[in-house]
Amino acid sequence: MSPILHRTPADLVNLGERPEHSPESPLSVHAMTVAYHRKPVLWDVDYDAPPNRLVAIVGPNGAGKSTLIKACLDLLPRASGQVEFWGEAYRRVRTRVGYVPQRESVDWDFPVSALDVVCMGRYRRLGWCRPVTRAHREAALRCLGQVGLREVADRQISRLSGGQQQRVFLARALAQEAELYLMDEPFAGVDAATERAIVEVLRRMKSDGRTVIAVHHDLQTVPEYFDDVILLNMRVVAAGPVGEVFTRENLQKTYGGRLTPLAEAAEAVARAAFEGR
Amino acid sequence: MGPEMSAHVLASGDVPTLAEVLDTLLLRAGFNTGLVVVGTTLLGLAAGVVGVFVTLRKRALVTDALAHATLPGIAIAFLIAGGLGLAGRTLPLLLAGAAVSAILGVVCIGLILRHSRLREDAAIGIVLSVFFGAGVVALSWIQANAATGSAGLATFIYGQAATIRPSDLVVLAGLAIVAVLAAILFLKEFALVCFDESFARVLGWRVGAIDLAMTTLVVLVVVAGLQAVGVILVVSMLIVPAVAARFWTDRFGTMTIVAGMVGAVSGYLGSVLSALLPRQPAGAVIVLAAGAVLLASLLFAPSRGVLARAWRRLSLDLRIAGDHLLEVAHERGVGALPAAQIDRIAREHAWSVRVRRMLPLSLRRRGLAEGGGGGGLSITAAGRDRGARVARNHVLWAEYLVRHADVAPNHVDWSVDQVEHVLSEEIVRELEAALAERGGAPVESTS
Amino acid sequence: MLAVIEFDVGLDLFPMLAATLAAVVCGLLGNFLLLQRQALMGDAIGHSVLPGLVIAFLLAGTRSPLAMFVGAAVAGMATVLLVELVKRFGRVEPGAAMGVVFSVMFALGVLLIEQAAARQVDLDADCVLYGQLETLVWFGAPENLDGLLRWSTLTAVPRQVLVLASMLLAAGIFTILLFKELRLSAFDPGFATSQGFAARGLGLALMVLVAAATVASFEAVGSILVIAMLVCPAATARLLTDRLASQILVSVAVAVATGVVGYLAATAVPAFFGRDSVNAAGSMTLVAGGLVALAIVASPNHGVVTQVLRRRRLAARVATDDLLAALHRAAEQGLDRLACERLTKMLPKRSISGAVDRAIRSGLVERKRGVVRLTATGRIAAAAIVDRHRSWERYLVEEAGFAPDHVHDPAERLEHLSGTTPDR
């Protein structure tokens, strides 16, 4: 990592006042910068998630959508900035935060059944070295039932269709019984029927009082599926209720070329950090 | 390698008698042989269990490098022991040296990956060959300069099970117990880290610590196996049982049990065989025993095996071909098909010769047709029902594809041929419901 | 040290030649394996051809290269088939499938060798690893160079050396003729195939050559050196250059150096300590590994040392920029000089004194009694820096939509690192 990105230089002009984050907000991101191989992919992101909403993260390829989620969950190192969940550090509220990774992130030939995967969502509750008990298995089965996959519980995961695999991940998240869910492209590569099923699950989660923040690719379905939207392109272009924020102008800002100098600068930063000039 | 590769029951190269075979199998062929057999069996058990984690964590080749990297450690430990005035071949010291340089090898792989742009394959190849080369240089240094007690040092390359002593057996037994206990205690932790590392992190687990535990187990097994199986082949004691076990099960826990058993059985058989037959290096025989289990699994495993798959493939082909035939009969409203017509259908759908030959038998056996005159078939009532249902599925599916899946109509027939025959009842019902529910109205594109 | 290098034509010429030829053949072919991320293929082939070699030897009764090659080819094909089957049906990762098959094949080879050694004296498991360089000794070698430059020398060249030389010729022709195809198919196999250069075919041809090189090298130098040479010289060259053509040339040079130095060191280094010589194949492997390590640490473009230096230079430049900017801003507020203590409050302590010293040396600032002020040139430079910073800030607020109170940090990074102003 370059010394530059580690550095928090003393202020020469004005150090931005740290805004107060409300403890009700399930997720507060402040001044977060993340770099991949020294190339900044997220610049100075600020965001407060409203409670009990379905939030879509939307943006072009390479906008840092997955990075945002992973950096919030400490899966990627942050170059700077803070992330808080309900006003607390992530490690203190892990059980209250669920995660659905991208489907491609795991090896689907792995020797486990759909039920085994869902049981993984209970591990945090189980603790170290304890085997999965019947009660937990039944809880996992109920979660599988909620996504409509009870019948395939014993099937090895490679023998599930892509949509079913995605739903297994969703069921695993349900089994975590978290209050906030971060999902990385839950709709990627699923057929229309699965998509509807997943939306149903998300709505049920919302009516149970939970919050869902999901990376989403399909702009057309954003207003239908989600309450809030984060328009992301290396930084938060706009965030808020879909009705207010999801405008043509904001989308143009997100997807249009007005941020090109920023992207080029990021390249230059990566190069400079590498070559040192 | 000299001919003293293993603890022979027999003095010469004769074929063993039945009594000798039995004695060896039942551990009655003398204390030393029994010791070797028990030792390699325990080693096989431990290696099989630990190997499951290695294979599923995709560390098979790293482990190979780790095993090769033990050689310089052994040699240098020997030199140090000599320098300290200890007897050259003090086993604990040699094995400690082996463990240290194995870990050093793994660290080197990490360093190369982190500080250069070389990829993992190159890093593994470099560490494996250079460490082994260093070991060879050190061994030849020791031998050329005739250090006392160095004679047996080279046996670590190919292993020599006969050198197992009672004190070693205690170590091997302890190791097997540790490996099995660790597998039982941490099964769910190891499984999750192997399957989905980032999820494990989200749960708050220290993935690094779990990885370290797995690597420690691997180093223990490798070091314990050096004596019996040798630097080069010890990695296969770890990974061959695991890969063989993968053929028999789809569950992590079961796979661990099966791999442990495969490992134990091959350790047992290998050492028994090498005790009975002359000039059979135990290490190679143990690995070959495991390899034989692997080959048998590859061929005969019930759902994954080559034969089972070939059989399933053939029966699927036969079912598809039979369905075609029944569908044709249904569409033409005929109750019998002469041989010539079946041949024509076979040509149109490019059935293999075997399918064409076996089809009448398969239809007769399923009660869908009866033998007509001259190689023809007459369709039974059940066959007519089936033909009707296949034809209906065909229409259903074609309809679905045209209306809802954005498939150009002229492609429909082709894909129907492929898919229709594998539709389950459940999907057929789903299709019917979907069609009825939407009343055939086009659905807006969601892309 | 040089004094202990002994070179006896009869004892050393052909062994060294064989070892160097083997190193160069493998080093040359290794370039393409490395690019295709198949560096371990050498390991796999080196292990798995063993049973084929032994069976061929037992059947043919000789070590004729042709019989050996046929045996190795059969074993190689069996390996490829088995790896494919295990991968496809066993659902395990390619590495495990490969490791499983080649180690079992090697075990079979070891077993066969033990069996064969009962009948044949000149075959044992150790020579598989180390080769038998000592069998290449030239009895009745001439004493001096004149004696060497005679026609009769050619007839004295051992078979192993001739086989290796022709192997090198074949590998060289292959590389030169198919250079562009190999490069394309290593870089983008799909595109290569779509352009009519069947990547699979080329890959197969490469494997055949690697297998042939393995067999040719086996007898003389053994499998350790083969495996090392298929990876190390190419890896060293990869760290030193960025072009495939120069990578290949460098790797050949590295291989030659490895062969010669490694061979000589096997005798010279122990002799220096007054000991007997060590295994030459092992010593060459060590030299090869040492060169890789050297390249990792000291490669001019990608080495660890260079990277550390670059990072430090960059940090120094940033610190100087920060210092100038701080002085400039102070001047704007009417303070044309700042006490060093104030500076340490405004800037990271660690970098500040070095930055002041450097700036004084370049004539950008001057220091008198613990107070620092900009010189005339320093004022111009500082103005440019602050200007750049502000135009980035403006860009971030107006175009990228940053909140005005949030732009300082990002602008700082951009201004230092991109070295440009945003053009709009």
Side-chain angles (χ1 to χ4, degrees), chain A residues 3 5 30 32 58 83 102 108 113 129 149 155 160 179 192 220 236 261 271 276:
Chain A
L5 293 171
H30 174 68
M32 181 169 81
V58 168
V83 173
Q102 278 184 21
W108 289 93
S113 67
C129 302
L149 290 179
R155 211 179 274 180
L160 302 171
E179 293 159 56
Q220 288 178 355
V236 177
R271 238 186 355 261

Side-chain angles (χ1 to χ4, degrees), chain B residues 29-112:
Chain B
F31 183 64
N32 276 332
T33 313
L35 214 56
V36 170
V37 172
V38 171
T40 52
T41 307
L42 288 173
L43 179 67
L45 175 68
V49 168
V50 174
V52 171
F53 312 136
V54 170
T55 314
L56 292 178
R57 191 91 176 103
K58 306 195 192 326
R59 294 271 165 84
L61 294 173
V62 175
T63 306
D64 194 20
L66 182 153
H68 279 76
T70 55
L71 193 60
I74 296 171
I76 290 167
F78 178 86
L79 285 174
I80 291 173
L84 294 176
L86 297 167
R89 258 198 96 145
T90 36
L91 195 65
L93 194 69
L94 296 190
L95 295 188
V100 169
S101 77
I103 292 164
L104 204 63
V106 175
V107 170
C108 278
I109 292 178
L111 285 178
I112 292 175

Side-chain angles (χ1 to χ4, degrees), chain A residues 118 138-151 171 174 201 204:
Chain A
V118 179
E138 264 152 24
L141 262 178
R142 277 196 298 281
C143 297
L144 264 180
Q146 284 183 41
V147 299
L149 290 179
R150 225 191 155 101
E151 300 81 53
L174 287 177
V201 174
R204 214 170 320 133

Side-chain angles (χ1 to χ4, degrees), chain A:
Chain A
M1 182 94 2
S2 117
I4 301 314
L5 293 171
H6 272 315
R7 217 162 56 96
T8 46
D11 195 15
L12 303 178
V13 180
N14 50 357
L15 180 67
E17 281 291 301
R18 232 198 111 195
E20 281 300 309
H21 288 298
S22 63
E24 295 96 71
S25 174
L27 169 67
S28 312
V29 181
H30 174 68
M32 181 169 81
T33 295
V34 183
Y36 254 142
H37 302 300
R38 306 196 182 97
K39 177 179 166 184
V41 274
L42 284 177
W43 291 92
D44 197 54
V45 168
D46 272 288
Y47 178 69
D48 281 283
N52 196 18
R53 306 274 277 182
L54 300 181
V55 184
I57 304 178
V58 168
N61 283 332
K65 303 187 291 291
S66 299
T67 308
L68 176 60
I69 284 186
K70 287 182 186 153
C72 287
L73 294 173
D74 291 345
L75 292 175
L76 288 175
R78 294 189 288 270
S80 64
Q82 297 91 35
V83 173
E84 283 178 355
F85 294 84
W86 299 281
E88 299 211 53
Y90 173 56
R91 65 194 147 72
R92 305 178 63 176
V93 290
R94 275 179 199 282
T95 41
R96 297 168 68 189
V97 182
Y99 173 50
V100 179
Q102 278 184 21
R103 187 149 51 89
E104 296 82 57
S105 66
V106 301
D107 168 17
W108 289 93
D109 279 333
F110 203 83
V112 283
S113 67
L115 182 61
D116 291 337
V117 174
V118 179
C119 284
M120 289 170 185
R122 314 288 299 178
Y123 282 6
R124 180 78 192 174
R125 255 158 244 278
L126 274 166
W128 285 78
C129 302
R130 300 254 185 74
V132 180
T133 57
R134 179 175 295 173
H136 287 290
R137 200 165 295 129
E138 264 152 24
L141 262 178
R142 277 196 298 281
C143 297
L144 264 180
Q146 284 183 41
V147 299
L149 290 179
R150 225 191 155 101
E151 300 81 53
V152 297
D154 282 325
R155 211 179 274 180
Q156 202 263 330
I157 49 174
S158 69
R159 306 219 306 272
L160 302 171
S161 73
Q164 287 173 327
Q165 290 175 347
Q166 193 67 62
R167 277 188 279 166
V168 167
F169 264 4
L170 201 60
R172 178 172 75 175
L174 287 177
Q176 282 183 276
E177 293 178 3
E179 293 159 56
L180 165 70
Y181 285 96
L182 300 180
M183 304 188 180
D184 206 342
E185 305 217 11
F187 296 106
V190 303
D191 55 282
T194 306
E195 186 161 324
R196 276 192 302 277
I198 294 176
V199 169
E200 265 323 297
V201 174
L202 296 189
R203 293 206 173 121
R204 214 170 320 133
M205 290 165 89
K206 187 193 164 194
S207 67
D208 291 345
R210 308 178 200 203
T211 308
V212 176
I213 302 177
V215 174
H216 193 53
H217 252 321
D218 184 3
L219 288 181
Q220 288 178 355
T221 53
V222 167
E224 189 188 336
Y225 294 168
F226 292 95
D227 310 322
D228 275 35
V229 65
I230 306 172
L231 293 169
L232 193 76
N233 189 354
M234 304 186 71
R235 57 177 321 277
V236 177
V237 176
V242 171
E244 296 167 22
V245 170
F246 201 62
T247 59
R248 177 168 293 278
E249 192 199 350
N250 277 340
L251 283 172
Q252 211 147 35
K253 254 195 201 166
T254 316
Y255 286 84
R258 279 151 70 87
L259 292 163
T260 322
L262 200 60
E264 280 167 7
E267 290 285 351
V269 170
R271 238 186 355 261
F274 185 65
E275 286 163 5
R277 290 192 327 217

Side-chain angles (χ1 to χ4, degrees), chain A residues 3-5 7 10 12-13 16 33 38 43-44 46 109 158 235 258-259 261-262 265 269 272 274-275 277, chain C residues 91 310-311 317-318 322 329 346-348 392 395-396 399-402 405-406 408 410 412-414 417-418:
Chain A
I4 301 314
L5 293 171
R7 217 162 56 96
L12 303 178
V13 180
T33 295
R38 306 196 182 97
W43 291 92
D44 197 54
D46 272 288
D109 279 333
S158 69
R235 57 177 321 277
R258 279 151 70 87
L259 292 163
L262 200 60
V269 170
F274 185 65
E275 286 163 5
R277 290 192 327 217
Chain C
R91 300 279 181 94
R310 267 182 199 146
R311 228 167 279 166
R317 194 166 60 83
V318 170
D322 283 351
R329 288 188 174 107
M346 298 168 76
L347 296 170
W392 269 111
Y395 163 77
L396 289 174
E399 299 290 328
F402 277 56
D405 58 346
H406 261 224
H408 180 75
E412 171 117 337
R413 286 181 202 122
L414 289 169
L417 296 171
S418 67

Side-chain angles (χ1 to χ4, degrees), chain C residues 7 37 56 95 183 218-219 221 245 265 290 301 325 338 356 361 368:
Chain C
F7 190 82
R37 303 191 187 176
R183 183 171 59 183
F218 234 88
E219 211 182 328
V221 296
N301 276 318
L338 280 173
V356 172
R361 250 179 285 133
K368 271 186 207 130

